[in-house]
């Protein structure tokens, strides 16, 4: 009997060992992939699918996943077959699809003709940009497709530059710029001996799993063992992968800040390493080890980044959210291990893909998680000076107003602040009060702040500059710089929280159609079209990129609707324009 038991035990052990050996031998090998490269041990997202089908599906829905794509019939959204021609600055462009190939043909006034094959697309929500392989580099082409308004456009229509004569002003080298934030682990592999020669590689096109979770080879190998997976399920054992939710708040924010916080190499000499070997940052790393966030006083040679920030240093473009949060008291005063960070409001695998925010986080809920003293209507109304249910009592509208531009629209700032109308009078920084009270002046807002919040603003003084007695929506529309004017045009159009009346706002927007910056005309045209639709006015939408003669004709048609206001608005605008300061802004999107 004893012999039988021993034989059985031996056979069982041998069988178990055999099974283990088979399992071990059949385990995939991931470690060592692309050894020696910047993206060593990175896996593409398809390899995550087998175990994380739910997260893969939620990520696949996002605009992150489609940020950069190979140009294919199933990825290209622009109209290459019907409304597929566009003329700008005398250059006639024709966009065409032949079989599975897409081209952009430019016909110049002097008879020259240039054909670009479109190899990749960038963006999938508001603008679709196009990238073409030219020699040893990829070029971002100067024309894009406006996915919201379903039309072709020059990229000069989305940046803050005046009308000009350079059709290619915003053509850019993809390999040395766009590639870094729109893909995983960019490696331009610039040839330092040949100007303009790149052999760019990325771990994956688009913003994929590796961007947030880092190299996954060790994790995937370990996860191929059922025993390991069971241990992970039952314990907090190391899973050999970065989970931003489990990082300290500051380090977690660096994962997002890597791209949502425009940066320069630290030290600057590192640029050579970045353009040759590739981006050294990995999720979970200390971002400050490699990069320094751009600030108002940052310069590269003679190029200044000042125009990308309001005068008080607050960002005024998207992709600077990291800088905004770093300035916020909510971040600075929080517990170092558990303070506000990107994931306090955003969720990468849940909620609306527009902003990646769950519905409840679009309410006051995230703020009330710390500021419970304002949860009850009575206390909230006392705090805001507005009725509890009004927009004047919404946390975001007061503390994160929409004053930041990005990709043809305005967004909430991530510099969480206390509304301060005096900043507009002293530093031309837009204030939350006048973002709603467009028809009131800055000095009116200062007086109201003194009355409602005497402890904070009791000593605030109105500006002696008469310009700040004008309705702020109007002052900003004509006297501000291009970004301020665009912001005012968007607000007067009803793009923000407040919806101005058409009879008051439309005449100012008609006058703004004469602005020499296309981006200002873009918002004015959108507003007028919306007002026209509300009032059943059958006027065509003004083309903000059309030749001047065409635009003048459109302006005349619109003024015919408000003839009695024309001279008064023109006189007011002329006076305000005399105070205008032009600051061109290289958006970099």
């Amino acid at each position: 009997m004893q012999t039988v038991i021993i034989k059985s035990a031996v056979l069982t052990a041998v069988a178990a060992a055999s099974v283990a050996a088979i399992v071990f031998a059949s385990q995939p090998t991931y470690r060592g992939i692309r050894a020696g490269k910047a993206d060593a041990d990175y896996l593409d997202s398809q390899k995550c699918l087998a175990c994380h089908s739910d997260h893969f599906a939620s990520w696949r829905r996002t605009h992150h996943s489609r940020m950069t794509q190979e140009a294919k019939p199933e990825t290209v959204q622009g109209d290459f077959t019907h409304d597929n021609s566009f003329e700008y600055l005398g250059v006639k462009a024709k966009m065409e699809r032949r079989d599975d190939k897409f081209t952009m043909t430019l016909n110049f006034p002097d008879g020259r003709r240039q054909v670009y094959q479109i190899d990749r697309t960038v963006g999938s929500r508001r603008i679709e940009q196009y990238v073409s392989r030219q020699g040893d580099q990829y070029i971002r082409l100067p024309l894009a497709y406006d996915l919201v308004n379903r039309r072709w456009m020059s990229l000069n229509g989305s940046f803050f530059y005046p009308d000009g004569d350079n059709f290619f002003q915003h053509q850019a080298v993809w390999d040395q710029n766009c590639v870094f934030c729109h893909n995983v682990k960019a490696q331009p592999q610039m040839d330092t001996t040949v100007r303009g020669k790149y052999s760019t590689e990325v771990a994956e096109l688009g913003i994929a799993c590796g961007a947030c979770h880092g190299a996954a080879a060790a994790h995937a190998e370990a996860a191929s063992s059922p025993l390991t997976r069971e241990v992970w399920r039952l314990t907090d054992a190391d899973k050999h992968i970065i989970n931003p939710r489990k990082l300290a708040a500051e380090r977690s924010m660096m994962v997002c800040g890597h791209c949502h916080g425009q940066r320069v190499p630290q030290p600057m000499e590192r640029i050579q390493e970045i353009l040759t070997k590739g981006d050294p940052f990995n999720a979970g790393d200390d971002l400050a080890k490699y990069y320094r966030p751009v600030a108002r006083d940052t310069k590269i040679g003679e190029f200044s980044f000042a125009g990308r920030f309001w005068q008080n240093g607050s960002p005024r473009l998207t992709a600077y959210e990291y800088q905004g949060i770093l300035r916020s008291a909510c971040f600075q005063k929080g517990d170092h291990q558990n303070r506000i960070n990107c994931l306090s409001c955003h969720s990468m695998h849940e909620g609306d893909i527009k902003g990646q925010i769950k519905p409840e986080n679009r309410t006051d809920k995230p703020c009330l998680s710390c500021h419970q003293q304002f949860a009850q209507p009575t206390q909230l109304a006392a705090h805001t000076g507005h009725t509890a249910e009004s927009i004047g009592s919404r946390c975001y509208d007061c503390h994160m107003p929409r004053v930041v531009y990005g990709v043809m629209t305005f967004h909430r700032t991530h510099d969480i602040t206390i509304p301060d109308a005096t900043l507009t009078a002293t530093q031309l920084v837009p204030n939350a009060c006048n973002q709603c009270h467009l028809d009131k002046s800055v000095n009116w807002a200062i007086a109201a702040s003194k009355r409602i919040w005497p402890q904070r603003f009791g000593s605030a003084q109105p500006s002696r500059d008469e310009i700040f007695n004008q309705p702020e929506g109007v002052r900003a529309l004509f006297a501000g710089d291009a970004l301020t004017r665009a912001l005012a045009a968007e607000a007067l159009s009803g793009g923000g929280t407040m919806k101005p009346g058409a009879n008051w706002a439309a005449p100012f927007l008609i006058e703004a159609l004469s602005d020499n910056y296309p981006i200002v005309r873009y918002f004015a045209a959108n507003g007028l079209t919306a007002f026209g639709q509300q009032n059943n006015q059958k006027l065509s939408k003004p083309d903000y990129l059309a030749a001047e003669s065409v635009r003048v004709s459109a302006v005349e048609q619109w003024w015919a609707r408000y003839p009695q206001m024309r001279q008064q608005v023109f006189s007011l605008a002329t006076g305000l324009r005399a105070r205008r300061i032009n600051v061109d802004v290289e958006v970099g999107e």
Side-chain angles (χ1 to χ4, degrees):
M1 183 64 183
Q2 188 176 11
T3 302
V4 172
I5 293 174
I6 291 172
K7 285 183 177 178
S8 177
V10 170
L11 289 172
T12 302
V14 169
S18 300
V19 170
I22 292 171
V23 169
F24 181 79
S26 63
Q27 281 185 331
T29 301
Y30 295 118
R31 278 179 286 195
I33 288 177
R34 293 183 61 76
K37 299 279 190 177
D39 60 342
D41 290 342
Y42 272 71
L43 305 183
D44 68 65
S45 301
Q46 286 292 333
K47 292 186 172 61
C48 307
L49 174 60
C51 293
H52 305 283
S53 58
D54 52 346
H55 281 177
F56 182 90
S58 58
W59 162 76
R60 207 74 186 91
R61 297 169 54 235
T62 67
H63 296 289
H64 272 161
S65 74
R66 300 189 294 276
M67 183 57 75
T68 305
Q69 302 178 100
E70 301 290 359
K72 301 176 182 176
E74 59 269 29
T75 59
V76 172
Q77 298 185 65
D79 187 347
F80 283 75
T81 55
H82 298 99
D83 189 7
N84 59 339
S85 59
F86 178 69
E87 182 173 352
Y88 186 67
L89 298 179
V91 180
K92 296 179 179 177
K94 187 80 170 179
M95 281 58 69
E96 296 173 288
R97 173 184 171 182
R98 290 192 175 89
D99 297 325
D100 290 346
K101 302 294 184 183
F102 297 84
T103 58
M104 179 182 293
T105 302
L106 304 180
N107 294 289
F108 297 90
D110 61 4
R112 286 181 298 120
R113 184 168 181 267
Q114 196 159 352
V115 181
Y116 296 93
Q117 177 169 307
I118 291 170
D119 296 300
R120 289 174 179 165
T121 65
V122 178
S124 66
R125 181 178 175 188
R126 296 188 179 90
I127 294 179
E128 185 172 74
Q129 300 184 53
Y130 301 101
V131 176
S132 177
R133 178 80 178 179
Q134 299 290 302
D136 294 320
Q137 59 187 4
Y138 284 96
I139 298 294
R140 180 188 70 186
L141 298 175
L143 302 184
Y145 193 76
D146 179 343
L147 296 169
V148 176
N149 294 286
R150 303 299 302 172
R151 59 159 291 173
W152 289 96
M153 58 175 286
S154 163
L155 284 174
N156 199 36
S158 69
F159 296 155
F160 293 90
Y161 283 89
D163 296 316
D165 56 7
N166 183 359
F167 183 84
F168 293 99
Q169 182 174 2
H170 299 292
Q171 182 166 290
V173 178
W174 178 83
D175 307 76
Q176 64 181 209
N177 190 357
C178 324
V179 69
F180 285 105
C181 280
H182 295 160
N183 305 285
V184 181
K185 293 297 288 184
Q187 302 146 76
Q189 301 187 72
M190 181 182 72
D191 188 331
T192 56
T193 64
V194 180
R195 184 181 176 84
K197 183 175 182 180
Y198 298 86
S199 303
T200 301
E201 294 181 311
V202 298
E204 188 169 357
L205 289 178
I207 301 161
C209 305
C212 300
H213 298 287
H219 170 79
E221 274 191 22
S224 64
S225 163
L227 178 60
T228 300
R229 293 200 300 272
E230 190 61 14
V231 171
W232 285 351
R233 190 179 69 80
L234 297 173
T235 72
D236 291 328
D238 183 6
K239 295 184 174 65
H240 312 296
I241 192 78
I242 295 297
N243 183 342
R245 284 201 177 278
K246 295 185 176 180
L247 295 173
E250 189 171 4
R251 197 58 70 91
S252 173
M253 210 162 67
M254 289 176 176
V255 177
C256 307
H258 175 235
C259 286
H260 289 274
Q262 289 287 297
R263 60 198 190 278
V264 293
Q266 178 63 29
M268 278 302 296
E269 290 72 22
R270 189 185 291 276
I271 188 66
Q272 186 83 355
E273 171 194 345
I274 294 170
L275 287 175
T276 52
K277 296 179 181 177
D279 187 349
F281 177 79
N282 297 291
D285 286 349
D286 180 0
L287 187 62
K289 182 179 175 183
Y290 307 107
Y291 297 104
R292 174 166 51 91
V294 166
R296 181 173 168 78
D297 60 357
T298 302
K299 285 188 174 182
I300 298 179
E302 294 300 314
F303 180 82
S304 170
F305 288 86
R308 303 183 184 195
F309 297 84
W310 299 105
Q311 287 187 31
N312 66 343
S314 186
R316 58 182 194 160
L317 296 177
T318 54
Y320 291 80
E321 291 79 9
Y322 184 58
Q323 285 92 327
I325 295 181
L326 291 179
R327 288 168 51 89
S328 304
C330 292
F331 175 79
Q332 294 178 355
K333 295 182 179 179
D335 173 78
H336 280 230
Q337 294 299 313
N338 190 32
R339 55 188 170 184
I340 187 173
N341 62 78
C342 309
L343 298 178
S344 302
C345 296
H346 298 274
S347 178
M348 295 301 99
H349 293 285
E350 298 174 283
D352 185 355
I353 61 170
K354 297 176 180 176
Q356 301 191 220
I357 301 177
K358 291 190 289 188
E360 60 267 32
N361 285 350
R362 292 192 184 278
T363 70
D364 296 340
K365 182 182 176 183
C367 303
L368 293 176
S369 65
C370 290
H371 301 280
Q372 266 294 307
Q373 67 271 33
F374 305 124
Q376 297 304 314
T378 302
Q379 285 77 11
L380 179 61
H383 169 63
T384 65
H386 296 71
T387 58
E389 66 279 6
S390 76
I391 57 176
S393 287
R394 299 285 69 77
C395 306
Y396 292 146
D397 289 327
C398 290
H399 299 291
M400 298 177 68
R402 298 173 70 257
V403 298
V404 168
Y405 174 84
V407 198
M408 311 295 283
T409 190
F410 280 88
H411 308 262
R412 296 194 181 283
T413 179
H414 284 62
D415 183 2
I416 306 168
T417 56
I418 294 170
D420 185 353
T422 64
L423 280 178
T424 307
T426 57
Q427 300 184 58
L428 301 177
V429 179
N431 71 83
C433 305
N434 285 120
Q435 288 305 113
C436 282
H437 297 284
L438 295 161
D439 59 340
K440 304 294 186 185
S441 71
V442 169
N443 279 340
W444 173 90
I446 292 173
S449 298
K450 288 166 66 83
R451 173 175 52 81
I452 299 173
W453 304 289
Q455 283 191 314
R456 175 172 289 275
F457 294 109
S459 61
Q461 295 298 315
S463 173
R464 294 179 180 178
D465 188 337
E466 280 296 318
I467 201 170
F468 294 109
N469 287 324
Q470 294 290 342
E472 177 56 11
V474 180
R475 184 206 68 82
L477 182 64
F478 298 115
D481 67 9
L483 195 148
T484 303
R485 300 200 302 277
L487 173 62
E490 199 250 9
L492 287 168
S493 300
T497 303
M498 183 58 70
K499 308 300 178 189
N503 288 337
W504 178 72
F508 299 116
L509 294 176
I510 297 172
E511 183 62 30
L513 288 176
S514 301
D515 202 291
N516 64 328
Y517 280 65
I519 189 66
V520 180
R521 301 195 299 264
Y522 167 78
F523 288 110
N526 285 348
L528 286 170
T529 304
F531 289 150
Q533 290 170 347
Q534 291 171 16
N535 298 326
N536 294 318
Q537 295 173 332
K538 306 297 183 185
L539 286 176
S540 59
K541 185 174 187 176
D543 184 351
Y544 70 108
L545 289 171
E548 184 176 8
S549 60
V550 177
R551 289 189 279 110
V552 168
S553 176
V555 168
E556 291 300 321
Q557 291 179 39
W558 277 94
W559 271 127
R561 301 285 177 172
Y562 303 91
Q564 71 283 6
M565 297 291 294
R566 184 168 188 171
Q567 185 56 47
Q568 181 184 348
V569 169
F570 176 76
S571 298
L572 177 58
T574 300
L576 292 171
R577 282 171 175 147
R579 299 285 301 274
R580 181 172 130 177
I581 300 172
N582 286 325
V583 179
D584 296 339
V585 182
E586 183 66 48
V587 175
E589 61 190 23

